[in-house]
Amino acid sequence: MYEELIARITRAVDASEKWAENGWAVTFGPRGEEVLNLKSAEALGRAISFRREAINYWKQAQLTGQDAAASGRKALRALEAGDEPAAMNALYFCRYIEAPFAQQANTWSPLYDSLSAKTACCC
């Protein structure tokens, strides 16, 4: 019943774990220079004034992605066990964790909305 959603959540777990690696466009410094991922931030010269800020941002994205992935795995286990409420709670937490990066990452809200719509139509 949830095969397609389970596949999407599995992809979201993988994506979340790679937020800092794959990255997205973020600008730093007074000239709005793009730093696309953690590797790029770490490669900035030590004299660059926003280097620390960029590294911190991407490390936070990395940690947040790991936390979201862990909760996503809880959602997977819950769906596989047929426990929709636990899956909803786990996906809600993923969405909550993702909030600071939601505009760029947009990984978990669509999944939460999908499960929410699926459970609402069947009650």
Side-chain angles (χ1 to χ4, degrees):
M1 178 172 171
Y2 292 108
E3 293 81 19
E4 187 265 333
L5 187 58
I6 287 171
R8 289 176 56 203
I9 292 171
T10 300
R11 287 191 300 273
V13 166
D14 292 340
S16 290
E17 290 177 329
K18 295 178 183 169
W19 281 349
E21 182 181 328
N22 295 337
W24 46 73
V26 182
T27 58
F28 297 93
R31 290 181 283 186
E33 295 184 41
E34 273 191 351
V35 180
L36 300 175
N37 55 35
L38 180 57
K39 187 175 182 177
S40 298
E42 291 173 337
L44 292 169
R46 296 221 181 257
I48 302 293
S49 64
F50 57 86
R51 180 179 191 269
R52 179 173 283 163
E53 179 186 0
I55 289 172
N56 287 340
Y57 175 89
W58 285 113
K59 284 189 176 183
Q60 187 62 46
Q62 183 177 50
L63 292 171
T64 301
Q66 290 169 353
D67 289 345
S71 189
R73 283 190 282 280
K74 287 181 184 178
L76 285 172
R77 287 191 300 273
L79 282 177
E80 289 166 351
D83 188 352
E84 289 177 2
M88 286 289 293
N89 288 340
L91 288 178
Y92 180 84
F93 191 59
C94 290
R95 190 169 85 164
Y96 176 80
I97 292 169
E98 178 187 47
F101 304 104
Q103 186 174 4
Q104 297 87 357
N106 195 29
T107 305
W108 294 103
S109 281
L111 294 170
Y112 175 80
D113 294 341
S114 291
L115 182 58
S116 183
K118 188 174 280 244
T119 57
C121 76
C122 301
C123 295

